[in-house]
């Protein structure tokens, strides 16, 4: 099939996730046909620097044969066996070992799933099981945050705080949402430091309102990814830690984006010095080569679930799929052997910070923020008042298209442009990324004038 035939059949037969069907009908899909290193190529032969690592997952880029060969060899040896009913496979044990090793101290158990959404559903099941076994069944409510993203199953989407999603399904009734730590958008006249404390105190207020004996857990991404790369003010996590230490409430950190090196540390929890009770992972654990997710379970929780015995009536057919586990093992080996994460911490992260900050000088950029290898640009019509161009987020959509035209994949979340480039990116490629982003901003300014 040629390009227009592919687009035609795509329109007729494929229901795309998170896609506006009018846009899809009008413009057709972009057909991506190949990739190499940090670049992807579409069916027209247009090559783009992938500023989004696929969908936050291909942190090592697209050319790692060690991973694809590990999958292939496993598929030829033992393509599938389950881990239900006292069975297991060698790769699942080896990956569990490695995960216990690279995750924060005190996290030594893993429950495997096929995705991040499933892992957050698993978290809900584990949280309930834990409090039931602790004979505190009245602890049922999970507190989350507005504009957080925790996946797209009913459980994941209920935990998430995206209003556009909540309009289209009925959320679980035991999940409550508090304010996000989004200083640029919601900080008003407060300094970032003041606002960080303010946003964290919302957790304390909510716990007081609900009653500490009713609250089971608090879930949050270390940095909101899909919500627009919202990096909390430095005061936020220390204040959250203080609050959680006061009450007997579990902390779930959703590390699906920030796990495996994006901040320059292995996990966001390491970066912020937090000790979560549960930690969701997916995406980059296999470098996007094979679906795999899971939740790391702290000794505090695992000891209760294991010691009290009884069956945990939960699991997925593909929990601990052997080929997925081999992909995870190969990925972690590369991260370790090639000191990829140290390089982000010491070299490319600081370099991106320096180059990305230059974009704040651009007339339509209200803020340029970054941390490790993520970044965001707030598009504004007026820098002083932070006023947007319109309330339909036209500037973000235009900038995304201009960026692609200029050979860079940037994503738009409203009028916030975001990047999460592969961790293997060189300083030369960071220069290329910033230059292309600059051109996209110039083109956007012209188009919006
Ligand atoms: C992507 C994402 C999820 C969902 O993962 P899926 O594999 O798409 O189900 C959950 N949490 C966060 C923070 C994510 O970014």
């Amino acid at each position: 099939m040629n390009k227009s035939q592919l687009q035609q059949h795509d329109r007729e037969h494929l229901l795309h996730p998170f896609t506006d069907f009018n846009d899809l009908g009008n413009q057709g899909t972009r057909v991506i046909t190949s990739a190499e290193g940090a670049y992807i190529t579409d069916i027209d032969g247009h090559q783009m620097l992938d500023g989004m690592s696929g969908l936050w997952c291909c942190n090592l880029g697209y050319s790692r044969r060690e991973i694809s060969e590990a999958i292939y060899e496993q598929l030829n040896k033992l393509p599938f066996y389950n881990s239900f009913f006292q069975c297991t496979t060698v790769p699942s044990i080896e990956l569990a070992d490695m995960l216990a090793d690279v995750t924060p101290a005190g996290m030594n158990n893993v429950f495997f799933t096929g995705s991040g959404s499933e892992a957050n559903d698993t978290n809900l099941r584990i949280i309930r099981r834990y409090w039931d076994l602790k004979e505190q069944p009245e602890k049922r409510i999970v507190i989350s945050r507005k504009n957080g993203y925790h996946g797209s199953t009913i459980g994941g989407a209920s935990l998430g705080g995206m209003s556009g999603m909540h309009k289209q399904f009925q959320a679980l009734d035991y999940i409550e949402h508090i304010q996000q730590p989004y200083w640029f958008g919601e900080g008003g006249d407060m300094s970032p430091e003041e606002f960080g404390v303010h946003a964290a105190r919302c957790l304390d207020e909510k716990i007081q309102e609900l009653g500490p004996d009713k609250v089971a857990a608090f879930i949050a991404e270390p940095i909101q990814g899909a919500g627009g790369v919202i990096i909390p003010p430095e005061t936020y996590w220390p204040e959250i830690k203080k609050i959680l230490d006061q009450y007997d409430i579990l902390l779930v950190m959703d590390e699906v984006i920030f796990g495996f090196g994006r901040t320059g540390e292995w996990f966001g929890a390491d970066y912020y010095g937090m000790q979560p009770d549960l930690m969701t992972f997916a995406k980059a654990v296999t470098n996007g080569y094979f679906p795999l997710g899971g939740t790391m379970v702290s000794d505090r929780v695992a000891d209760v679930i294991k010691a009290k015995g009884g069956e945990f009536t939960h699991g997925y057919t593909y929990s601990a799929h052997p080929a997925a586990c081999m992909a995870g093992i190969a990925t972690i080996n590369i991260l370790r052997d090639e000191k990829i994460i140290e390089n982000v911490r010491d070299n490319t992260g600081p370099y991106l910070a320096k180059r990305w900050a230059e974009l704040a000088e651009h007339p339509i950029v209200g803020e340029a923020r970054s941390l490790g290898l993520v970044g965001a640009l707030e598009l504004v019509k007026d820098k002083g008042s932070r006023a947007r161009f319109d309330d339909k987020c036209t500037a973000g959509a235009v900038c995304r298209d201009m960026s692609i035209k200029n050979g860079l994949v940037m994503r738009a979340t409203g009028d916030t442009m975001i990047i999460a480039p592969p961790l293997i990116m060189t300083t030369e490629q960071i220069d290329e990324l910033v230059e292309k982003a600059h051109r996209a901003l110039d083109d956007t300014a012209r188009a919006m004038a």
Side-chain angles (χ1 to χ4, degrees), residues 26-218:
N26 295 336
Q27 298 161 9
T29 32
R30 250 192 316 281
V31 186
I32 307 301
T33 47
S34 65
E36 206 184 319
Y39 296 86
I40 60 171
T41 304
D42 71 15
I43 197 162
D44 297 322
H46 180 51
Q47 198 189 54
M48 292 159 275
L49 184 59
D50 184 8
M52 280 306 300
S53 306
L55 202 49
W56 321 89
C57 39
C58 303
N59 285 2
L60 299 170
Y62 295 94
S63 307
R64 298 314 299 237
R65 297 210 75 116
E66 300 93 320
I67 309 172
S68 42
E69 276 160 14
I71 296 167
Y72 181 72
E73 278 166 26
Q74 183 60 40
L75 288 175
N76 287 328
K77 190 157 147 197
L78 176 70
F80 175 78
Y81 206 75
N82 66 74
S83 51
F84 286 31
F85 322 131
Q86 297 173 45
C87 290
T88 195
T89 64
V90 177
S92 66
I93 300 168
E94 283 178 3
L95 180 58
D97 256 358
M98 289 174 97
L99 287 168
D101 206 35
V102 300
T103 50
M107 307 207 91
N108 293 304
N109 283 265
V110 60
F111 194 102
F112 285 116
T113 70
S115 69
S117 304
E118 288 174 8
N120 279 326
D121 278 32
T122 295
N123 283 331
L124 290 174
R125 297 289 309 272
I126 291 177
I127 291 164
R128 174 157 174 160
R129 177 84 177 144
Y130 173 78
W131 289 115
D132 281 353
L133 290 172
K134 294 273 285 181
E135 292 171 9
Q136 287 176 269
E138 67 287 354
K139 274 180 150 334
R140 280 284 183 265
I141 302 173
V142 179
I143 301 176
S144 180
R145 303 185 301 184
K146 290 176 189 156
N147 198 36
Y149 187 76
H150 298 295
S152 207
T153 52
I154 299 291
S158 297
L159 288 169
M162 304 223 154
S163 53
M165 290 174 73
H166 276 262
K167 283 188 198 125
Q168 296 187 9
F169 77 105
Q170 189 173 352
L172 301 173
D173 62 7
Y174 56 89
I175 293 164
E176 297 273 339
H177 296 87
I178 60 168
Q179 183 173 13
Q180 56 176 333
Y182 180 27
W183 178 75
F184 184 84
E186 298 171 9
D189 294 331
M190 281 185 249
S191 69
E193 293 71 27
E194 287 166 345
F195 179 69
V197 174
H198 163 81
R201 298 307 303 170
C202 293
L203 175 61
D204 191 67
E205 282 161 31
K206 186 56 104 181
I207 294 169
Q208 296 290 344
E209 176 196 319
L210 298 165
D213 54 330
K214 300 276 195 315
V215 180
F218 171 61

Side-chain angles (χ1 to χ4, degrees), residues 278-298:
L278 296 163
M279 212 168 72
T280 323
F281 64 87
K283 295 190 174 122
V285 63
T286 60
N287 203 39
Y289 276 45
F290 212 94
L292 176 68
T295 189
M296 288 305 296
V297 183
S298 64

